[in-house]
């Protein structure tokens, strides 16, 4: 039986496909290519030496989903597909509600119809909102500050209701912290459309002189050096977490939320420093005012993932920065 990966040509999805294929799983990818490229499938196959079946399909297209499930014997879905730009979601919330929420409803309906009731879902640390104090644990109260976050929270709630209504369902809600880095081969990595909002793609742009110096938003936070602290996790560690989640789902039903983070927080200045040292480059930056919606510190309590999945993030910040830069240099046009 196969694992269906929605959004499988995207940043985290492509690394997870590699990890699944390396573990001997049969992988089927579907993606509408709104934020990724078809050529990623060939790269996944080059890295692993294995074939992955690909459908260019939109999860809002019920007929396309029906075709995928009709043509294949699908055991579980690893569900990455969705829009993820927080800023954009504030301006066009309906676009996010339709794609992320309606898309997930159609996906779940099709799964149910074909008696496929296991899902690993890409949630986010954003569901912890701004009031909880780090380290963030799964049982803390949830709240969100923007429409993107709301889609994650609403989907978490929806999946919880589905599991309550039918005990044959099994769902893992994986709450990611800040995925960065790239595959060691330099073949796959993050390829953001437009101007990125995350720190690492902006560091890359500053080094390659794309958008001027890096803007450091605030240096007066109550942290060790005044800049914001975040929990960065290597995308390959994150991908490995999905394979563990899937293994756990094969043993059990019901729903669990699990953090995927390292438990270590790094400040913006520490990341700049690590990036410069490991890659031998200079990151030009300027300090500007605080940005709305940023908390001083956000990092995971990763104990639940260690306990349930026997999973641990193994790659440190230097490796994350080196692998990202290697990806940039390998793909420089
Ligand atoms: N990258 C992060 O920092 C981060 C953090 C927390 C959670 N997440 C979540 O993880 C998931 C994957 O993130 P990513 O960074 O790999 O993003 P990504 O944009 O690289 O990957 C998402 C993929 O989904 C596809 N897609 C979007 N809408 C679709 C639709 N209607 N039908 C089919 N395919 C569709 C896109 O083309 C893209 O390839 C997303 O759900 C995102 O919200 C990401």
């Amino acid at each position: 039986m196969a694992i269906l990966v929605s959004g499988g040509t995207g940043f985290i999805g492509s690394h997870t496909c590699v990890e699944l294929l390396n573990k001997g799983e049969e992988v089927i990818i579907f993606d509408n290519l709104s934020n990724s490229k078809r050529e990623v499938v060939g790269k996944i196959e080059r890295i692993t030496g294995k074939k992955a079946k690909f459908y260019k399909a939109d999860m809002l297209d019920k007929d396309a989903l029906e075709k995928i499930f009709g043509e294949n014997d699908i055991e579980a879905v690893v569900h990455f597909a969705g829009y993820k730009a927080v800023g954009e979601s504030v301006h066009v919330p309906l676009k996010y509600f339709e794609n992320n929420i309606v898309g997930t409803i159609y996906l779940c309906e099709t799964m149910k119809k074909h008696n496929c009731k296991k899902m690993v879902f890409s949630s986010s640390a954003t569901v912890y909102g701004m009031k909880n104090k780090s380290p963030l644990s799964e049982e803390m109260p949830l709240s969100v500050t923007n429409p993107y976050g709301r889609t994650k929270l609403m989907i978490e709630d929806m999946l919880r209701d589905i599991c309550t209504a039918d005990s044959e369902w099994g769902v893992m809600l994986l709450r990611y912290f800040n995925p960065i880095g790239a595959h060691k081969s330099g073949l796959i990595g993050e390829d953001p459309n437009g101007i990125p909002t995350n720190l690492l793609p902006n560091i890359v742009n500053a080094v390659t002189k794309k958008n001027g110096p890096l803007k450091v938003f605030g240096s007066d936070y109550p942290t060790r050096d005044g800049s914001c602290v975040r929990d960065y996790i290597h995308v390959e560690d994150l991908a490995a977490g999905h394979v563990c989640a899937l293994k756990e789902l094969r043993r059990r039903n019901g729903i669990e939320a699990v953090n995927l983070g390292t438990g270590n927080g790094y400040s913006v200045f520490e990341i700049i420093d690590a990036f410069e040292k490991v890659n031998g480059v200079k990151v030009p930056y300027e300090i500007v005012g605080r940005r709305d919606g940023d908390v001083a510190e956000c990092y995971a309590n990763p104990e639940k993932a260690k306990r349930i999945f026997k999973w641990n993030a193994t790659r440190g910040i230097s490796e994350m920065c080196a692998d990202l830069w290697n990806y940039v240099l390998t793909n420089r046009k």
Side-chain angles (χ1 to χ4, degrees), residues 315-331:
R315 297 159 178 90
I317 204 69
S318 298
E319 193 172 347
M320 299 183 211
C321 292
D323 289 345
L324 170 58
W325 190 234
N326 176 47
Y327 172 72
V328 173
L329 296 181
T330 309
N331 294 280

Side-chain angles (χ1 to χ4, degrees), residues 11-12 31-32 34-36 58-59 80 84 99 148 152:
F11 174 43
I12 308 168
D31 199 300
N32 67 359
S34 59
N35 197 34
S36 56
D58 195 306
M59 65 177 167
F80 296 101
K84 63 167 183 178
N99 194 49
Y148 163 73
K152 293 295 175 195

Side-chain angles (χ1 to χ4, degrees), residues 59-62 65 102-111:
M59 65 177 167
L60 290 170
D61 179 348
K62 284 185 175 181
L65 292 178
V102 177
T104 303
I105 292 173
Y106 289 175
L107 182 58
C108 289
E109 279 174 354
T110 315
M111 287 173 67

Side-chain angles (χ1 to χ4, degrees), residues 6-15 30-37 55-61 65 79-85 96 98-100 103 121-126 148 151-152 155 174-180 189-193 198 235 238 242:
S6 83
T9 43
F11 174 43
I12 308 168
S14 57
H15 289 80
F30 87 85
D31 199 300
N32 67 359
L33 303 179
S34 59
N35 197 34
S36 56
K37 299 192 178 76
Y55 289 86
K56 179 175 186 299
D58 195 306
M59 65 177 167
L60 290 170
D61 179 348
L65 292 178
H79 178 28
F80 296 101
Y83 295 148
K84 63 167 183 178
Y96 277 68
E98 182 184 35
N99 194 49
N100 295 5
F121 173 63
S122 299
S123 190
S124 166
T126 194
Y148 163 73
T151 68
K152 293 295 175 195
I155 293 170
L174 301 184
R175 295 183 182 150
Y176 310 156
F177 282 69
N178 295 64
I180 61 169
E190 191 171 13
D191 205 357
N193 282 341
N198 294 349
V235 64
L238 193 68
H242 290 73

Side-chain angles (χ1 to χ4, degrees), residues 104-105 108 117 119-124 127-128 137-144 149-175 252-259 304:
T104 303
I105 292 173
C108 289
K117 295 180 175 176
M119 177 186 274
V120 178
F121 173 63
S122 299
S123 190
S124 166
V127 298
Y128 290 115
S137 302
E138 289 82 354
E139 68 286 356
M140 284 178 164
L142 306 178
S143 65
V144 289
R150 203 168 325 280
T151 68
K152 293 295 175 195
L153 195 51
M154 287 170 83
I155 293 170
E156 282 204 4
D157 286 343
M158 185 175 89
L159 292 171
R160 228 173 253 117
D161 288 343
I162 291 173
C163 289
T164 304
D166 180 350
S167 61
E168 286 176 5
W169 276 83
V171 173
M172 288 289 168
L173 308 169
L174 301 184
R175 295 183 182 150
R252 54 179 286 170
N253 298 342
I255 187 160
E256 288 288 345
V258 182
N259 287 340
K304 189 171 179 184

Side-chain angles (χ1 to χ4, degrees), residues 1-5 25-29 53 55 65-77 110-111 113-118 250:
M1 288 184 92
I3 306 301
L4 179 66
V5 183
E25 300 286 355
E26 185 190 339
V27 170
I28 298 166
I29 300 172
K53 195 167 175 184
Y55 289 86
L65 292 178
E66 185 56 39
K67 180 170 154 54
I68 296 169
F69 278 84
E71 289 179 0
N72 301 283
D73 200 2
I74 296 168
E75 178 195 352
V77 177
T110 315
M111 287 173 67
K113 189 169 161 207
H114 291 265
N115 206 30
C116 168
K117 295 180 175 176
K118 300 275 169 149
R250 283 184 168 136

